[in-house]
Amino acid sequence: MKAKVFVTLKASVLDPQGKAIKHSIELLGFEGISDIRQGKYFEIAIDGALSEQQARDEAVRMARDVLSNPIIEDFRVEIES
Amino acid sequence: MKFGVIVFPGSNCDHDAYHVISKHVGQPVDFIWHRDTDLGGYDAVIIPGGFSYGDYLRVGALARFSPVMNSVKEFAARGNLVLGICNGFQILCEAGLLPGALMRNRGLHFICEHVNVRVESADGPFTHELKPGSILRMPIAHADGNYVCDDATFDELRRDDRIIFRYCDPNGELTDGANPNGSRDHIAGICNRERNVMGLMPHPERACEDLLGSSDGRDVFRSLAGTLAAAA
């Protein structure tokens, strides 16, 4: 089983890296991009003995306590069996 | 009075802090490896600058889980003095000992230069020897010094006079150009509610000798030592 954790900056937090990436992409000629926000993605291999719900609960705890900083970031967890 | 300087894998201003305490403050000081947990016998602990754990995940994020940090939390809860400089400030924020977070600099660059900071509060163990409104010249060396916090925290910091240093221009004005990293309201250093834990991005320990461009940082350590001497 695999937990996928997506960590993104809160909407209220400025993302200068995302802005710089957007600028570079626009220099390549891409148009119509209104915004780019950079985030982090984690793949966590989880022991198959856990139920899907247990795996989700564990991944949420990891995301909340370690992988994200709740002051500036939000997270989302997906479980892939 | 005895000082401890915590050493994480990747700390690199630990020797500067040790040098200042032993040479300028003239007091005993030990390095404390991050796996040690005994802070008995210390009167103040410095969490130095550097790149603990290579800044992996987020700056300061992994250092928070080092065994010594539980001891630092207890040490602080007993009212002892904890000073976090640069990466030390980032670690204290991640550990929840100080509010807010330090993000990538507004201009994305690593900035290494002397800056001016204005003393905003002389109420506390780290700045009582300083005059509010006075200007200190100290170096910064960071890529992630952009202080952010939510509005409620910001209001609390202002209301309780917990913003200790702000980035300013040479005249003490808070011009936008004098804010090197985009920190909220020019914040360069704050303290906790009890005022015994302070974090700041500039390096007072690297500004203690004229030969290094400034000795303004000495006042911070003089305040710290004065507080400990008065309590002894």
Side-chain angles (χ1 to χ4, degrees), chain B residues 22-37:
Chain B
S22 57
K23 180 162 182 213
H24 295 298
V25 181
Q27 296 294 332
V29 52
D30 289 334
F31 289 120
I32 301 168
W33 183 234
H34 72 114
R35 290 193 181 282
D36 294 340
T37 53

Side-chain angles (χ1 to χ4, degrees), chain B residues 84-161:
Chain B
I85 302 167
C86 195
N87 189 222
F89 184 15
Q90 295 163 341
I91 293 168
L92 289 173
C93 286
E94 279 283 341
L97 283 164
L98 290 173
L102 292 143
M103 295 190 56
R104 182 53 50 93
N105 295 341
R106 171 173 58 181
L108 296 173
H109 292 288
F110 185 97
I111 309 170
C112 183
E113 64 186 18
H114 277 73
V115 297
N116 299 295
V117 297
R118 197 171 74 190
V119 179
E120 302 293 321
S121 173
D123 175 14
F126 304 97
T127 52
H128 64 87
E129 300 257 347
L130 289 148
K131 217 170 99 207
S134 61
I135 299 165
L136 305 185
R137 194 164 164 73
M138 296 191 280
I140 54 169
H142 62 247
D144 300 82
N146 180 354
Y147 182 79
V148 296
C149 63
D150 61 26
D151 292 342
T153 303
F154 181 61
D155 291 343
E156 191 184 314
L157 289 175
R158 280 203 301 192
R159 188 193 62 218
D160 296 343
D161 193 27

Side-chain angles (χ1 to χ4, degrees), chain A residues 9 13-17 20 40 42 64-69 71-73, chain B residues 57-58 61-62 64-65 93-94 99-101 103-106 108 148-149:
Chain A
L9 286 174
V13 172
L14 293 174
D15 179 12
Q17 294 183 96
K40 294 181 184 132
F42 304 85
R64 190 189 57 212
D65 296 343
V66 184
L67 302 179
S68 74
N69 178 338
I71 295 168
I72 48 174
E73 293 167 327
Chain B
L57 188 61
R58 295 177 306 277
L62 299 185
R64 165 161 76 98
F65 298 101
C93 286
E94 279 283 341
M103 295 190 56
R104 182 53 50 93
N105 295 341
R106 171 173 58 181
L108 296 173
V148 296
C149 63

Side-chain angles (χ1 to χ4, degrees), chain A residues 33-77:
Chain A
I33 304 163
S34 58
D35 195 20
I36 292 182
R37 310 272 293 168
Q38 180 177 317
K40 294 181 184 132
Y41 169 60
F42 304 85
E43 287 186 348
I44 304 169
I46 294 183
D47 191 333
L50 294 184
S51 73
E52 191 170 322
Q53 187 57 47
Q54 285 171 324
R56 178 177 296 280
D57 292 346
E58 295 271 281
V60 164
R61 274 182 49 215
M62 291 178 221
R64 190 189 57 212
D65 296 343
V66 184
L67 302 179
S68 74
N69 178 338
I71 295 168
I72 48 174
E73 293 167 327
D74 295 319
F75 65 85
R76 177 166 59 84
V77 171

Side-chain angles (χ1 to χ4, degrees), chain A residues 2-46:
Chain A
K2 192 187 277 178
K4 299 177 171 180
V5 179
F6 301 83
V7 176
T8 50
L9 286 174
K10 284 184 189 296
S12 58
V13 172
L14 293 174
D15 179 12
Q17 294 183 96
K19 274 204 167 54
I21 294 164
K22 173 172 178 283
H23 179 66
S24 294
I25 285 177
E26 284 170 339
L27 287 178
L28 275 180
F30 290 96
E31 289 171 7
I33 304 163
S34 58
D35 195 20
I36 292 182
R37 310 272 293 168
Q38 180 177 317
K40 294 181 184 132
Y41 169 60
F42 304 85
E43 287 186 348
I44 304 169
I46 294 183

Side-chain angles (χ1 to χ4, degrees), chain B residues 4 7 17 42 65 68 73 80-81 100 133 144 148 196 206 209 212:
Chain B
V7 183
Y42 294 104
F65 298 101
V68 76
K73 279 185 186 171
N80 295 301
L81 303 185
D144 300 82
V148 296
N196 63 314
R206 290 202 217 161
E209 277 139 353
L212 298 180

